[in-house]
Amino acid sequence: MLSLHQLRCFLATYETGSLTAAAEQLGYAQPSVSEQIRALEKTLKTTLFRRVGRGVVPTTVADSLRPHAEATLAAAEEARRAVASVTALETGTIRFGMFGTARLYAGAGLVADVLARHPGVRVELIGQNSTDVQDDLRRGRIEAAMIAVTAAESEGMEVIPVARDELVYISADPQAIQSPVTAQRLANASLVMPETTWRATDSTRIVLRQMLHEAGRNPQTRIEVEDVETAVELVGLGLADSVIPRGAAEQLLPRLAPHAGFVSLRPRQFDTFAIVHRAGATLSPAARLMIEIATKRIQEIADPVHPR
């Protein structure tokens, strides 16, 4: 009979491409994972993995099973949370997804607001980039999150825009920020950009690529870094310029690059922040609390967007 335990072992093996790595990820013995995979294959009457060297390669059947396994485990986790939600706001752990830059706007204040209302809880803010956070949502590791959104959103997610923030050009060179920066100037600029691991899916970069492509130009960077703080510090050192949300600029420039300033792009460009959760999900009181407080916090700093 198919079990949640078998599906967890299946997904871990699928993601890692190794029974040994899957066992390490789950904290099981390798023979236990192998046994669960064999039992699942017997139940489904099919082969899910082929051995290749020291690893395994998923079959097309495994590719088809993966989204259903993820959805099943996410539903099971949602059911578990629903049962635990009665006490979660008093003594439990509240988890909420929030991409890296958003924490500059609301992270510490969000935690402080939650603890002021429910001093007995434990709080986890999860995620580095919106892509990571959406992946955690899809897999059921968190119920809800605040992310930066683009035109293409994950299927099966409910996306509720709540605020938008202007993208601004930051520089330590006063000449560079005397007037709004056009696509031509941006294409010729020496830039440092954060979120290098997620450069293909980062919302700010997607907006900039579209702006430049519409002008027939290609984006390029001189320096790539992971976090926005490092990018701002490099701008402060005069080694490059950057484009970041205005809220982040107002938070970080006085502290990390006090001699730098910012100016709008021409035409003006924006990042949109949204609350996201699985479509049709019944949210726990903890998730609803985090959504309420996070929305209030972000709308105090960025321009509110009110859903129709």
Side-chain angles (χ1 to χ4, degrees):
M1 183 177 178
L2 187 148
S3 70
L4 296 178
H5 184 43
Q6 290 171 352
L7 293 180
R8 290 189 187 95
C9 291
F10 163 75
L11 283 178
T13 304
Y14 188 99
E15 292 169 357
T16 61
S18 164
L19 291 166
T20 301
E24 291 176 354
Q25 183 184 98
L26 296 170
Y28 301 149
Q30 191 269 343
S32 175
V33 174
S34 299
E35 180 182 348
Q36 293 302 317
I37 296 298
R38 285 195 299 270
L40 181 58
E41 290 178 326
K42 183 177 180 180
T43 298
L44 298 177
K45 297 181 174 60
T46 189
T47 300
L48 295 173
F49 298 100
R50 296 189 303 273
R51 288 191 174 274
V52 177
R54 295 185 178 180
V56 294
V57 175
T59 64
T60 55
V61 176
D63 291 335
S64 298
L65 176 61
R66 179 189 60 81
H68 298 288
E70 290 174 343
T72 299
L73 291 175
E77 176 62 16
E78 187 175 327
R80 184 199 64 77
R81 284 196 298 260
V83 173
S85 64
V86 175
T87 57
L89 285 181
E90 302 305 326
T91 60
T93 295
I94 297 179
R95 298 179 181 88
F96 189 71
M98 183 170 281
F99 71 103
T101 306
R103 288 197 294 273
L104 296 174
Y105 297 72
L110 174 62
V111 173
D113 289 345
V114 172
L115 294 180
R117 294 196 197 185
H118 303 281
V121 302
R122 180 174 176 271
V123 181
E124 293 183 5
L125 291 185
I126 297 171
Q128 290 295 322
N129 179 272
S130 293
T131 302
D132 266 4
V133 174
Q134 283 183 293
D135 188 54
D136 283 338
L137 281 166
R138 182 168 58 85
R139 297 179 187 281
R141 295 168 182 159
I142 53 178
E143 283 188 87
M146 176 177 287
I147 65 170
V149 297
T150 57
E153 294 307 326
S154 293
E155 184 177 351
M157 295 291 172
E158 183 170 346
V159 180
I160 307 167
V162 293
R164 70 172 193 169
D165 199 11
E166 183 180 3
L167 298 178
V168 295
Y169 187 92
I170 63 172
S171 177
D173 179 5
Q175 298 284 338
I177 53 176
Q178 281 189 336
S179 61
V181 175
T182 63
Q184 180 175 351
R185 281 183 57 197
L186 186 63
N188 293 327
S190 178
L191 295 178
V192 52
M193 293 298 294
E195 312 287 1
T196 186
T197 294
W198 301 278
R199 68 181 76 181
T201 56
D202 176 62
S203 62
T204 295
R205 295 199 192 214
I206 289 174
V207 171
L208 295 181
R209 282 198 294 268
Q210 182 176 346
M211 174 186 175
L212 290 170
H213 288 163
E214 288 176 354
R217 308 302 294 262
N218 291 317
Q220 58 184 355
T221 57
R222 181 186 181 193
I223 306 170
E224 292 278 343
V225 296
E226 291 289 4
D227 58 277
V228 67
E229 290 91 342
T230 300
V232 171
E233 286 185 292
L234 290 168
V235 169
L237 293 173
L239 298 176
D241 297 342
S242 190
V243 177
I244 62 175
R246 178 171 182 152
E250 290 175 340
Q251 293 274 337
L252 295 177
L253 289 184
R255 178 162 54 91
L256 301 178
H259 301 297
F262 62 84
V263 71
S264 296
L265 301 174
R266 180 181 292 162
R268 296 171 72 195
Q269 305 292 325
F270 296 87
D271 252 349
T272 298
F273 305 135
I275 296 296
V276 183
H277 58 76
R278 292 177 65 86
T282 301
L283 298 176
S284 69
R288 294 197 296 271
L289 172 69
M290 297 300 280
I291 288 172
E292 173 198 339
I293 296 176
T295 299
K296 181 176 182 294
R297 278 277 171 181
I298 201 73
Q299 289 183 341
E300 289 174 348
I301 298 171
D303 296 331
V305 172
H306 300 290
R308 296 179 180 178

